[in-house]
Amino acid sequence: MRKKVIVIGGGPSGLMAAIAAAEGGADVVLLDKGDKLGRKLGISGGGRCNVTNNKDAAELIRFLPGNGRFLHSALSRFGSQEIIRLFESFGIALKEEDHGRMFPVTDKAKTVVDTLVGRVRELGVTIRVHQAVERVLFGEGRAAGVELKSGERIEAGAVIVATGGKSVPHTGSTGDGYAWAESAGHSVTELYPTEVPITSDEPWIRDRELQGLSLRDVRLTVLDGRGKAVIAHEGDMIFTHFGLSGPAALRCSQFVVRTLRQGKGPAAVAIDLFPSDGEDELAAAWTKAAREEPRKAVKTLVRQWLPERMVPLALRQAALEPEAVVANVPKSAWLALAAWCKSLRVSASGTLSIEEAFITGGGVSVKEVDPRTMASKRMPGLYFCGEVLDVHGYTGGYNITAAFATGHAAGSAAAEEVRSLAEGG
Ligand SMILES: Cc1cc2nc3c(=O)[nH]c(=O)nc-3n(C[C@H](O)[C@H](O)[C@H](O)COP(=O)(O)OP(=O)(O)OC[C@H]3O[C@@H](n4cnc5c(N)ncnc54)[C@H](O)[C@@H]3O)c2cc1C
């Protein structure tokens, strides 16, 4: 029993923990309450699985705003290069897309899941699906095994909690691990949605005026109630019937949540439609165009710069008459329109729920976990890895990378611990 390592959860962190523990010589049991392993992994990256990001540890940490520095040691030992090499060693080539994002060349998340599950099987890990863990058992001042919902108890020398966060619960991530952490004396920081669409009560959003309109390479700035910039991100976004979505909006979302939770609201998002041009430059370009074609209607000229669906809103809010001929438009009006384009304000009432978020923010406090081994500093024999920890990254392969890195650290360390237990060390 003492040589046994139990891994609870068959997501990327649990699969990697099981592989590392088995490679370290442990007798591993991998338990998952679902009917198959890697369900969230299987739908990740739009079904293509953005498995990692081709950056070194220091760079990866910059894209993990939720306690990324805690991962320094784990990522230095098992980061994106190790992940790429591991998949290559299994005969799975990865390809790089924009911003360093790595995907399997098959463009199928299933390839990633099947490869990891195949390796777990090859190493002789006992896989038990449909096995919901009720609680972690403790005895003689250490983790001693688990009790399943069925009442069955399994003893072990080490238990690795890899149960994920609370987002997209139909994949099995229902937040079960947090209570077990607390029962071992850990603190769990407040949970909140991250990488989630932003909601807005703006009337033109609620009226679906721009629903479905996507913008490329815009700059989004989150503003607090005093109009102070909290964070800015550039990228693509889309207007929805409830607010803003798309990569840049997802990145901004956790800062909207924090601003509101800290009582610094009401929050807003300012969209800069032309991040590389100044207000004066835009106004000058429009004034010049108006001089060249003075009989044009304002709406016709503006359509050359803005998406057609956006023109009525832009002219309304910048107080320009759509049918007016451009010869009659004063420079001040072009300046007002330029100011609008540089800072299209959208009130931000919040975000969609934690269940609808891509990632859960908050979790098992990293202050109470050893960053080299992912071992609990409160309870010998207990380990945490993946999204159950208070660690989160932006979309772009950073979360799966964090799951692999922490899973690898936990599995290797747990194997070492049970080896020394078995030897009576
Ligand atoms: C739609 C979507 C797309 C994503 N795309 C990407 C992407 O492309 N790249 C990226 O880096 N990140 C992506 N993410 C985030 C990434 O998938 C997660 O951060 C990652 O899966 C977390 O891994 P994990 O092992 O910690 O937990 P999970 O993958 O959540 O796995 C937890 C496992 O624990 C099991 N479990 C839970 N409770 C129990 C219990 N009581 N008993 C037994 N088993 C239990 C669950 O059944 C589940 O299988 C995406 C997330 C979503 C929702």
Side-chain angles (χ1 to χ4, degrees):
M1 288 309 152
R2 305 199 109 199
K3 255 188 85 183
K4 188 175 282 177
V5 172
I6 292 175
V7 180
I8 315 171
S13 69
L15 287 165
M16 193 57 79
I19 289 171
E23 284 177 346
D27 171 10
V28 184
V29 178
L30 174 57
L31 302 168
D32 199 289
K33 67 179 174 182
D35 57 349
K36 56 180 186 208
L37 302 174
R39 274 174 301 165
K40 191 175 276 183
L41 195 58
I43 59 165
S44 66
R48 298 199 301 134
C49 188
N50 181 190
V51 70
T52 188
N53 196 295
N54 195 7
K55 292 185 171 68
D56 66 18
E59 267 292 287
L60 288 171
I61 287 167
R62 283 207 313 118
F63 291 84
L64 286 148
N67 290 315
R69 278 201 303 255
F70 168 77
L71 299 179
H72 190 270
S73 167
L75 286 172
S76 303
R77 281 179 296 139
F78 197 79
S80 58
Q81 298 317 305
E82 288 72 20
I83 293 169
I84 294 166
R85 273 201 293 277
L86 183 76
F87 279 97
E88 275 171 3
S89 75
F90 299 146
I92 303 301
L94 303 181
K95 58 172 173 171
E96 184 171 340
E97 296 193 359
D98 56 338
H99 308 291
R101 298 182 307 147
M102 304 292 298
F103 293 85
V105 290
T106 58
D107 275 333
K108 288 192 173 72
K110 190 172 179 305
T111 306
V112 174
V113 177
D114 289 351
T115 303
L116 293 172
V117 174
R119 179 64 181 152
V120 165
R121 286 190 202 287
E122 191 178 276
L123 287 162
V125 170
T126 305
I127 299 173
R128 293 181 61 180
V129 290
H130 285 304
Q131 304 294 329
V133 171
E134 177 70 23
R135 61 193 178 104
V136 176
L137 302 171
F138 306 107
E140 297 172 18
R142 55 178 297 117
V146 299
E147 185 178 302
L148 304 181
K149 279 232 161 52
S150 62
E152 182 189 345
R153 289 174 163 225
I154 309 171
E155 289 175 25
V159 176
I160 301 176
V161 178
T163 44
K166 280 191 80 168
S167 303
V168 194
H170 75 82
T171 59
S173 329
T174 46
D176 300 7
Y178 303 121
W180 309 333
E182 283 172 339
S183 70
H186 280 268
S187 23
V188 174
T189 61
E190 195 180 1
L191 305 179
Y192 57 93
T194 79
E195 304 304 300
V196 61
I198 297 169
T199 55
S200 172
D201 293 328
E202 208 68 70
W204 53 271
I205 291 273
R206 293 286 157 185
D207 290 346
R208 305 176 175 215
E209 198 172 333
L210 300 184
Q211 182 185 352
L213 176 69
S214 51
L215 302 174
R216 287 195 70 82
D217 296 328
V218 291
R219 183 179 175 84
L220 267 53
T221 305
V222 176
L223 305 171
D224 67 13
R226 290 187 303 163
K228 195 168 150 237
V230 178
I231 190 90
H233 280 294
E234 281 187 27
D236 303 342
M237 60 148 286
I238 183 165
F239 293 99
T240 69
H241 60 288
F242 55 78
L244 311 176
S245 191
L250 295 181
R251 284 198 177 184
C252 286
S253 60
Q254 64 185 283
F255 300 95
V256 169
V257 174
R258 277 193 229 164
T259 302
L260 294 173
R261 290 204 173 184
Q262 289 165 357
K264 293 182 180 166
V269 175
I271 307 170
D272 183 347
L273 302 172
F274 299 99
S276 40
D277 299 311
E279 243 170 75
D280 288 340
E281 274 173 90
L282 289 172
W286 294 331
T287 314
K288 182 168 173 274
R291 263 201 310 271
E292 285 164 5
E293 294 185 273
R295 303 314 306 160
K296 246 191 183 155
V298 166
K299 66 177 187 194
T300 315
L301 184 130
V302 172
R303 259 187 225 139
Q304 294 170 22
W305 273 274
L306 293 183
E308 187 163 353
R309 285 185 59 202
M310 206 173 215
V311 172
L313 179 74
L315 299 186
R316 200 166 70 234
Q317 294 204 337
L320 263 94
E321 179 50 53
E323 304 298 338
V325 287
V326 292
N328 299 333
V329 175
K331 186 167 180 215
S332 59
W334 293 126
L335 275 169
L337 182 63
W340 184 87
C341 290
K342 292 294 290 175
S343 184
L344 161 52
R345 289 278 184 121
V346 186
S347 64
S349 54
T351 65
L352 294 187
S353 69
I354 198 163
E355 286 77 17
E356 292 159 298
F358 280 96
I359 314 289
T360 298
V364 176
S365 171
V366 294
K367 291 185 188 140
E368 298 154 2
V369 176
D370 184 327
R372 288 174 303 111
T373 60
M374 303 299 139
S376 161
K377 291 182 185 172
R378 295 277 181 274
M379 181 67 67
L382 185 64
Y383 296 79
F384 298 96
C385 56
E387 210 176 304
V388 72
L389 287 164
D390 180 9
V391 167
H392 63 88
Y394 293 130
T395 54
Y398 304 103
N399 290 288
I400 291 177
T401 303
F404 283 153
T406 54
H408 190 268
S412 312
E416 209 173 302
E417 180 170 7
V418 294
R419 192 182 323 125
S420 106
L421 273 181
E423 287 164 5

